[in-house]
Amino acid sequence: CQQTFTLYKLVSIYEEIRYFTRNKRFNIFLFLNNLCMKGKFTKYQIDKCMQIIDKVVQLPVSQPFIKKVDPLKDGIRDYLDIIKTPMSFDVIKSKLSSYSYKEMSEFIQDVELIWENAKTYNGEDSEVYLMAREASLYFNKHIKNLPNSVEEEWIQKLQKIS
């Protein structure tokens, strides 16, 4: 873990240590691993994100967002005039499979782009946007507790049962 320590980073690290030490099950090895892995998108996380996307795609409300919009086939010729960066779950899955994402934030940004595109093109009161909102709630619920490693996943499981 190579970091240049600026005052800001030191304060940030100090705050993280304070947060983690409040937890009775503080694990210095997990803490240091999380610190070193910050910003990096691990194979473990990519696999877990793929599982989350697979679950989201199974939701009936996610059907409009699985495949990239084809303006001619879908009868919405002005789509690319309004939406400058189209996104779909197929594209996201392809990027996950090819390890195109370097950081978790890039992945989340693409998923959020699906919801934003639905809102921009269809409007907030549309059925399509309401479906996007429901799918986003499901996605956010599952992504917020995503562990960084197998070890962290086991610790989360142990904490739930104890």
Side-chain angles (χ1 to χ4, degrees), residues 3 5 20 27 29 47 59 74 76 85 131 142 148:
Q3 292 191 2
F5 289 100
F20 277 99
N27 183 322
F29 299 109
D47 292 344
L59 298 172
D74 297 333
I76 48 177
T85 312
M131 293 168 78
H142 287 83
N148 293 320

CSV table of all heavy atoms in Angstrom, one decimal, residues 3 5 20 27 29 47 59 74 76 85 131 142 148:
chain,number,residue,atom,x,y,z
A,3,GLN,N,1.2,5.1,-0.2
A,3,GLN,CA,0.4,6.3,-0.1
A,3,GLN,C,1.3,7.5,0.3
A,3,GLN,O,2.2,7.3,1.1
A,3,GLN,CB,-0.7,6.2,1.0
A,3,GLN,CG,-1.8,5.2,0.6
A,3,GLN,CD,-3.0,5.4,1.5
A,3,GLN,OE1,-3.0,6.2,2.4
A,3,GLN,NE2,-3.9,4.5,1.3
A,5,PHE,N,1.4,10.6,2.3
A,5,PHE,CA,0.6,11.1,3.4
A,5,PHE,C,0.5,12.6,3.4
A,5,PHE,O,1.5,13.3,3.8
A,5,PHE,CB,1.1,10.6,4.7
A,5,PHE,CG,0.8,9.1,4.8
A,5,PHE,CD1,1.8,8.2,4.6
A,5,PHE,CD2,-0.4,8.6,5.2
A,5,PHE,CE1,1.6,6.8,4.7
A,5,PHE,CE2,-0.7,7.3,5.3
A,5,PHE,CZ,0.4,6.4,5.1
A,20,PHE,N,-13.6,2.4,13.1
A,20,PHE,CA,-13.4,1.0,13.2
A,20,PHE,C,-13.2,0.6,14.6
A,20,PHE,O,-13.6,-0.5,15.0
A,20,PHE,CB,-12.3,0.5,12.3
A,20,PHE,CG,-12.7,0.3,10.9
A,20,PHE,CD1,-12.4,1.3,9.9
A,20,PHE,CD2,-13.3,-0.9,10.5
A,20,PHE,CE1,-12.8,1.1,8.6
A,20,PHE,CE2,-13.7,-1.1,9.2
A,20,PHE,CZ,-13.4,-0.1,8.2
A,27,ASN,N,-10.8,-5.4,13.7
A,27,ASN,CA,-9.8,-6.3,13.1
A,27,ASN,C,-8.8,-5.5,12.3
A,27,ASN,O,-9.1,-5.0,11.3
A,27,ASN,CB,-10.4,-7.4,12.2
A,27,ASN,CG,-9.5,-8.4,11.6
A,27,ASN,OD1,-8.3,-8.0,11.3
A,27,ASN,ND2,-9.9,-9.6,11.5
A,29,PHE,N,-6.2,-6.2,10.6
A,29,PHE,CA,-5.8,-6.8,9.3
A,29,PHE,C,-6.9,-6.4,8.2
A,29,PHE,O,-6.5,-6.0,7.1
A,29,PHE,CB,-5.7,-8.3,9.3
A,29,PHE,CG,-4.6,-8.7,10.2
A,29,PHE,CD1,-4.8,-9.3,11.4
A,29,PHE,CD2,-3.2,-8.4,9.9
A,29,PHE,CE1,-3.8,-9.7,12.3
A,29,PHE,CE2,-2.2,-8.8,10.8
A,29,PHE,CZ,-2.5,-9.4,12.0
A,47,ASP,N,-17.0,-10.1,-9.0
A,47,ASP,CA,-17.9,-11.2,-9.0
A,47,ASP,C,-19.2,-11.0,-8.2
A,47,ASP,O,-20.3,-11.3,-8.7
A,47,ASP,CB,-17.2,-12.4,-8.4
A,47,ASP,CG,-16.1,-13.0,-9.3
A,47,ASP,OD1,-16.0,-12.6,-10.5
A,47,ASP,OD2,-15.2,-13.7,-8.8
A,59,LEU,N,-35.6,-9.0,-11.8
A,59,LEU,CA,-36.8,-8.3,-11.4
A,59,LEU,C,-37.6,-7.9,-12.6
A,59,LEU,O,-37.1,-7.4,-13.6
A,59,LEU,CB,-36.4,-7.0,-10.6
A,59,LEU,CG,-35.6,-7.2,-9.3
A,59,LEU,CD1,-35.2,-5.8,-8.8
A,59,LEU,CD2,-36.5,-7.9,-8.3
A,74,ASP,N,-37.1,0.1,-31.3
A,74,ASP,CA,-38.0,0.5,-30.2
A,74,ASP,C,-38.9,1.6,-30.5
A,74,ASP,O,-39.7,2.0,-29.7
A,74,ASP,CB,-37.1,0.8,-29.0
A,74,ASP,CG,-36.3,-0.4,-28.5
A,74,ASP,OD1,-36.7,-1.6,-28.7
A,74,ASP,OD2,-35.3,-0.2,-27.8
A,76,ILE,N,-38.3,4.8,-31.0
A,76,ILE,CA,-38.0,6.1,-30.3
A,76,ILE,C,-36.8,6.8,-31.0
A,76,ILE,O,-35.7,6.8,-30.4
A,76,ILE,CB,-37.8,5.9,-28.8
A,76,ILE,CG1,-36.9,4.8,-28.5
A,76,ILE,CG2,-39.2,5.7,-28.1
A,76,ILE,CD1,-36.6,4.6,-27.0
A,85,THR,N,-25.4,9.4,-23.5
A,85,THR,CA,-24.6,8.2,-23.1
A,85,THR,C,-25.6,7.1,-22.7
A,85,THR,O,-26.0,7.0,-21.5
A,85,THR,CB,-23.7,8.5,-21.9
A,85,THR,OG1,-23.0,9.7,-22.1
A,85,THR,CG2,-22.7,7.4,-21.6
A,131,MET,N,-40.4,2.3,-12.6
A,131,MET,CA,-39.7,1.0,-12.6
A,131,MET,C,-38.2,1.1,-12.3
A,131,MET,O,-37.7,0.3,-11.6
A,131,MET,CB,-39.9,0.3,-14.0
A,131,MET,CG,-41.4,0.0,-14.3
A,131,MET,SD,-41.7,-0.5,-16.0
A,131,MET,CE,-41.1,-2.2,-16.0
A,142,HIS,N,-28.6,-3.8,-2.0
A,142,HIS,CA,-27.6,-4.8,-2.0
A,142,HIS,C,-26.2,-4.3,-2.2
A,142,HIS,O,-25.2,-5.0,-1.7
A,142,HIS,CB,-28.0,-5.8,-3.2
A,142,HIS,CG,-29.1,-6.6,-2.8
A,142,HIS,ND1,-30.4,-6.2,-3.0
A,142,HIS,CD2,-29.2,-7.9,-2.3
A,142,HIS,CE1,-31.3,-7.2,-2.6
A,142,HIS,NE2,-30.5,-8.2,-2.1
A,148,ASN,N,-15.6,-6.1,0.8
A,148,ASN,CA,-14.4,-6.0,0.0
A,148,ASN,C,-13.7,-7.3,-0.3
A,148,ASN,O,-12.9,-7.4,-1.2
A,148,ASN,CB,-13.4,-5.0,0.6
A,148,ASN,CG,-14.0,-3.6,0.6
A,148,ASN,OD1,-14.7,-3.2,-0.4
A,148,ASN,ND2,-13.8,-2.8,1.6
